[in-house]
Amino acid sequence: MSSVESHQKQLTSDPSPSPNSCSSFELIDMDAGSLYEPVSPHWFYCKVIDSKETWIPFNSEDSQQLEEAYSSGKDCNGKVVPTDGGRYDVHLGERMRFAVYWDEQASEVRRVWFYLHTVYSLSLCKLVSGETYMLAVTQDDWKKKLESPNREIIVLHNPKLMVHYQPVAGSDEWGSTPTEQGRPRTVKRGVENISVDIHCVKGEPLQIDHLVFVVHGIGPACDLRFRSIVQCVNDFRSVSLNLLQTHFKKAQENQQIGRIEFLPVNWHSPLHSTGVDVDLQRITLPSINRLRHFTNDTILDVFFYNSPTYCQTIVDTVASEMNRIYTLFLQRNPDFKGGVSIAGHSLGSLILFDILTNQKDSLGDIDSKKDSPNMDQGDTPTIEEDLKKLQLSEFFSIFEKEKIDKKALALCTDKDLQEIGIPLGPRKKILNYFSTRENSVGINTSAPQSASGLNMSNIPKESEFCSSADGTGNDYLDVGIGQVSVKYPRLIYKPEIFFAFGSPIGMFLTVRGLKRIDPNYKFPTCKGFFNIYHPFDPVAYRIEPMVVPGVEFEPMLIPHHKGRKRMHLELREGLTRMSMDLKNNLLGSLRMAWKSFTRTPDPVLQTSETTEETEAEPVSSSEKPSDVNTEETSEAVKEEVPPINVGMLNGGQRIDYVLQEKPIESFNEYLFALQSHLCYWESEDTVLLVLKEIYQTQGIFLDQPLQ
């Protein structure tokens, strides 16, 4: 930083040209030797934005690392420098930048001394900044014309003015002069005065406290700008870094935290590389071509996930990608001791939900729960244990004699069991139990269904997560969650928290025929679950009403990242409260007036009534404040909402969390519906909730709790 500032001071302190010079570009009467100073280079990489090449500077730390590796004097071939928090590698020999964790086209890297609207190539930088420029400065010999091999011409007028002429086709044949070769451009030495403030591009903390995998929803684009999941997660990560500096400043100053790494998981490309797009194209009508292409590329992902063939491809891709990235991350960060969480947007959250419900607990946890009647040495309870649970242990010897295991029993009919000597009552109980038992995940419907879904028997203590069909708690009738029959892969780590953004999980579970999630159910390997959504998101659905179906209550309101509620929400609540108070007061006044009008005084008892009224007045006046106090007490009780038991899916904590809409969004919720489904990537409130919940598991809290 100091060297760059010194260069800026030296460049601004150059004397102005003498008016006696033969050219306004020449400098005389100056100490020529003091003008030349070597310039500090900076490293840039090329990125294609809207079909245009844009040169973006590396942050100061990465540029310094690249410069040190380049200036070490060793051969650059084969030398690799990690940049951007370890998510990209720069191969110095090839001058190329490669993504580490995902597939991305390699981008060119340049070491820059001179900058215009683009970053000059290495050969042109050497041409201008080599001995020619140094001699021109030290000997005060300007008006030099330099020509590169690709016919680019640069004229050195003075240290402050160098002009670049780009080649024009046919210029050499016609002998054109530089002024005839297009509009000249001014060349700037160094990178101090470029449009991008390089020194504001800060690097990321080296310490990584937690790893979060982010799975996208339908289609290749994740927001209204049609950006990929990689670009959207980059925004999510940038917002998190800014919020760490503002809301976890004390922890950062005490070096208690570093940062949280967010890595994208892409399943759309592998799915559509299976050849299904070619098959769809053959049957797609030629009309409204763009709309049909959008449907095939985006909306059909929902139908693909409900297909056994392509659902298997999707879950395999998501699980294998997360396992691969996790293994690669540990290899590149051997000192990482933090935990792992997962996040899914839209359909991606449903994919993660299904994967988590089909995970197996570790062997250590299974051993600790070996007293459970549902677990044997391996994955599922044996026939003996199931019969014992059904209080039919006396018939196990018959099954053992006939060599009937669980697979064979699934093929048996009522007649088969009758032939081996099972009575009618036990027969019906066994068939009903085993026909609905295999694919249960602890989620109930109003009536038993046949096991047409996934094999969920690997959930530990499965019977504890299911409600009794007759309400007695004796005979559990487990049902599947309606998933297509696929084999779910196992994750090689235990996620700590599962975040769902704009998730349709509740809708899909309901469409699969499920009525209720048992309050005791929790993911086998994941402790936390947060369902985060925007109030106008048309794809999002709640989860808590499926856990507590008989109680109506509002979701948890996510605080604004600057504290409190948004002003328009507070104003709306204040007006609502005021209107309710006016309504209650008006009704009370009308009630009292009606009582006074309907009263019929008796002339004989008028004197005694007057006495009674005077005695009753203080009583009524004393009752009035009590009524007011009662109303105030009831309002206070309403404001202090008692804790609601929403089950163990999030460890006993609330599950549904709703964002606060912006003031402009409240004018027309239909107009902002689509945007609401894609708002999570740049939402400070969403990111702050994720940071808060993750760091709370490590005993680190916000500097100031949000209200």
Side-chain angles (χ1 to χ4, degrees):
M1 294 291 287
S2 59
S3 63
V4 175
E5 292 175 357
S6 64
H7 287 310
Q8 290 178 336
K9 293 179 180 179
Q10 291 166 357
L11 287 175
T12 55
S13 63
D14 291 342
S16 59
S18 171
N20 299 325
S21 174
C22 59
S23 171
S24 60
F25 298 138
E26 296 179 356
L27 301 175
I28 60 174
D29 298 331
M30 64 181 67
D31 187 1
S34 65
L35 287 177
Y36 179 77
E37 290 289 342
V39 67
S40 298
H42 199 89
W43 291 77
F44 287 70
Y45 64 91
C46 183
K47 188 174 183 180
V48 178
I49 301 177
D50 296 332
S51 303
K52 295 181 181 179
E53 288 188 354
T54 303
W55 288 92
I56 301 176
F58 285 96
N59 61 64
S60 302
E61 290 82 355
D62 290 344
S63 181
Q64 184 177 357
Q65 287 186 2
L66 291 169
E67 185 63 22
E68 290 176 356
Y70 176 80
S71 305
S72 62
K74 300 179 181 179
D75 186 12
C76 291
N77 292 328
K79 188 174 292 185
V80 179
V81 179
T83 61
D84 299 276
R87 296 181 297 275
Y88 288 89
D89 283 341
V90 173
H91 295 231
L92 283 180
E94 304 175 20
R95 292 290 199 279
M96 299 297 289
R97 174 175 174 264
F98 297 90
V100 174
Y101 298 108
W102 56 83
D103 293 332
E104 184 178 315
Q105 186 176 1
S107 56
E108 185 181 357
V109 174
R110 290 182 181 178
R111 181 175 181 259
V112 178
W113 297 276
F114 288 80
Y115 184 89
L116 185 60
H117 299 287
T118 183
V119 172
Y120 285 129
S121 63
L122 180 63
S123 60
L124 197 59
C125 285
K126 288 182 177 180
L127 179 67
V128 181
S129 64
E131 295 183 359
T132 305
Y133 178 82
M134 185 178 65
L135 291 174
V137 174
T138 56
Q139 299 178 7
D140 194 20
D141 184 13
W142 297 100
K143 289 286 187 176
K144 289 185 176 293
K145 175 182 174 182
L146 307 176
E147 186 171 355
S148 67
N150 58 350
R151 299 184 300 177
E152 291 181 285
I153 296 176
I154 294 180
V155 179
L156 308 181
H157 291 286
N158 61 45
K160 290 185 177 180
L161 182 60
M162 292 170 282
V163 183
H164 174 219
Y165 298 92
Q166 291 183 331
V168 178
S171 60
D172 288 345
E173 289 77 0
W174 293 95
S176 58
T177 62
T179 56
E180 298 171 346
Q181 294 184 350
R183 184 178 179 181
R185 297 181 177 181
T186 303
V187 181
K188 296 179 180 179
R189 186 171 184 260
V191 290
E192 286 81 9
N193 298 321
I194 66 175
S195 57
V196 180
D197 192 353
I198 294 176
H199 311 299
C200 290
V201 183
K202 298 181 180 180
E204 302 175 7
L206 298 178
Q207 176 185 340
I208 300 177
D209 306 318
H210 203 85
L211 177 63
V212 180
F213 294 117
V214 184
V215 181
H216 66 86
I218 61 174
C222 297
D223 65 355
L224 291 177
R225 287 174 282 177
F226 296 96
R227 297 185 303 167
S228 66
I229 180 63
V230 174
Q231 295 170 305
C232 291
V233 172
N234 287 343
D235 279 351
F236 201 88
R237 187 187 306 109
S238 299
V239 174
S240 71
L241 293 174
N242 294 333
L243 290 175
L244 286 177
Q245 297 176 1
T246 56
H247 291 73
F248 293 88
K249 191 174 182 179
K250 294 181 181 178
Q252 279 194 334
E253 291 176 351
N254 298 332
Q255 296 183 349
Q256 293 178 297
I257 63 173
R259 64 183 176 92
I260 295 178
E261 181 62 281
F262 297 90
L263 296 179
V265 177
N266 182 15
W267 55 266
H268 181 269
S269 299
L271 170 65
H272 288 263
S273 63
T274 58
V276 65
D277 288 350
V278 179
D279 298 335
L280 286 173
Q281 189 62 34
R282 286 199 298 264
I283 61 176
T284 302
L285 301 181
S287 60
I288 53 174
N289 184 41
R290 292 186 179 180
L291 180 58
R292 295 186 190 277
H293 175 74
F294 174 79
T295 302
N296 291 347
D297 202 34
T298 303
I299 300 178
L300 286 188
D301 287 348
V302 178
F303 299 96
F304 284 140
Y305 189 67
N306 288 314
S307 163
T309 301
Y310 296 106
C311 180
Q312 186 70 64
T313 302
I314 292 174
V315 296
D316 286 345
T317 301
V318 171
S320 61
E321 272 294 288
M322 290 194 295
N323 289 340
R324 179 190 67 83
I325 296 174
Y326 179 70
T327 303
L328 181 59
F329 179 83
L330 293 182
Q331 293 175 357
R332 296 175 62 90
N333 301 273
D335 298 330
F336 176 72
K337 304 297 182 182
V340 183
S341 295
I342 56 178
H345 176 245
S346 189
L347 183 63
S349 62
L350 177 66
I351 298 171
L352 293 176
F353 180 86
D354 290 340
I355 291 177
L356 288 178
T357 55
N358 286 273
Q359 291 301 294
K360 301 178 182 178
D361 210 343
S362 63
L363 294 178
D365 293 336
I366 292 177
D367 292 339
S368 65
K369 299 176 182 179
K370 61 184 178 181
D371 294 333
S372 171
N374 293 333
M375 303 301 296
D376 64 354
Q377 298 177 358
D379 300 329
T380 60
T382 61
I383 290 183
E384 183 179 7
E385 292 172 338
D386 287 328
L387 292 175
K388 184 178 180 181
K389 189 174 69 171
L390 294 173
Q391 300 179 356
L392 300 174
S393 301
E394 63 271 19
F395 298 103
F396 175 69
S397 58
I398 300 178
F399 287 97
E400 189 177 23
K401 178 181 178 181
E402 299 292 336
K403 297 183 179 180
I404 298 177
D405 56 10
K406 299 189 74 171
K407 292 184 178 180
L409 182 59
L411 302 175
C412 291
T413 62
D414 182 82
K415 185 177 180 180
D416 296 331
L417 295 181
Q418 183 181 4
E419 290 179 353
I420 63 175
I422 306 296
L424 177 62
R427 251 191 349 255
K428 294 298 182 182
K429 293 178 67 175
I430 292 173
L431 288 175
N432 193 18
Y433 176 79
F434 283 98
S435 64
T436 58
R437 164 69 173 76
E438 291 183 350
N439 303 314
S440 173
V441 70
I443 308 177
N444 304 335
T445 59
S446 57
Q449 297 178 350
S450 62
S452 59
L454 302 173
N455 185 0
M456 302 303 298
S457 58
N458 49 27
I459 303 298
K461 294 188 178 181
E462 183 173 331
S463 61
E464 297 181 8
F465 305 153
C466 303
S467 298
S468 172
D470 56 3
T472 60
N474 296 325
D475 297 331
Y476 291 93
L477 298 177
D478 301 344
V479 295
I481 62 173
Q483 298 160 292
V484 293
S485 181
V486 298
K487 183 178 181 181
Y488 282 83
R490 183 174 182 179
L491 302 177
I492 60 176
Y493 56 87
K494 285 187 176 183
E496 292 188 3
I497 306 176
F498 169 35
F499 298 98
F501 306 141
S503 173
I505 292 175
M507 181 270 291
F508 269 85
L509 294 181
T510 303
V511 170
R512 290 170 179 175
L514 305 171
K515 299 290 185 182
R516 180 173 178 265
I517 301 175
D518 193 277
N520 294 323
Y521 175 71
K522 56 185 177 180
F523 294 122
T525 59
C526 184
K527 299 178 181 178
F529 176 37
F530 290 85
N531 182 37
I532 304 170
Y533 60 92
H534 190 282
F536 302 156
D537 190 339
V539 182
Y541 289 83
R542 293 191 62 182
I543 297 294
E544 290 174 342
M546 298 188 70
V547 182
V548 192
V551 182
E552 292 186 3
F553 53 94
E554 296 294 324
M556 290 291 292
L557 186 67
I558 300 177
H560 191 264
H561 65 283
K562 293 184 179 179
R564 300 181 62 84
K565 293 181 181 179
R566 294 184 184 268
M567 184 175 295
H568 71 286
L569 295 180
E570 292 188 347
L571 181 61
R572 182 192 302 170
E573 290 183 358
L575 292 175
T576 303
R577 193 180 300 112
M578 185 184 303
S579 63
M580 291 298 296
D581 293 341
L582 290 174
K583 179 181 177 181
N584 294 334
N585 293 335
L586 180 61
L587 291 177
S589 301
L590 291 175
R591 192 180 300 110
M592 294 296 296
W594 178 256
K595 288 182 179 179
S596 63
F597 286 138
T598 55
R599 186 186 310 167
T600 55
D602 193 341
V604 180
L605 302 176
Q606 188 172 4
T607 306
S608 62
E609 283 183 359
T610 305
T611 307
E612 290 176 1
E613 286 177 5
T614 55
E615 292 177 357
E617 280 179 1
V619 177
S620 62
S621 61
S622 63
E623 288 177 354
K624 237 178 184 179
S626 66
D627 294 337
V628 175
N629 293 334
T630 305
E631 291 179 359
E632 293 178 354
T633 306
S634 61
E635 289 181 0
V637 172
K638 288 181 181 179
E639 291 180 359
E640 297 179 2
V641 180
I644 302 172
N645 181 15
V646 292
M648 299 304 297
L649 198 55
N650 192 23
Q653 302 181 25
R654 294 293 300 272
I655 301 173
D656 293 335
Y657 288 78
V658 60
L659 293 167
Q660 302 179 38
E661 72 271 16
K662 298 178 181 179
I664 191 174
E665 294 174 343
S666 60
F667 287 107
N668 192 326
E669 57 189 40
Y670 293 96
L671 187 61
F672 295 94
L674 181 59
Q675 178 181 340
S676 300
H677 183 59
L678 306 172
C679 72
Y680 306 98
W681 309 115
E682 299 177 351
S683 169
E684 293 93 342
D685 300 347
T686 301
V687 179
L688 186 59
L689 177 63
V690 173
L691 297 178
K692 180 175 72 73
E693 295 300 330
I694 289 178
Y695 276 118
Q696 275 185 359
T697 62
Q698 304 177 14
I700 299 173
F701 302 92
L702 296 169
D703 294 341
Q704 294 182 352
L706 299 177
Q707 297 179 353

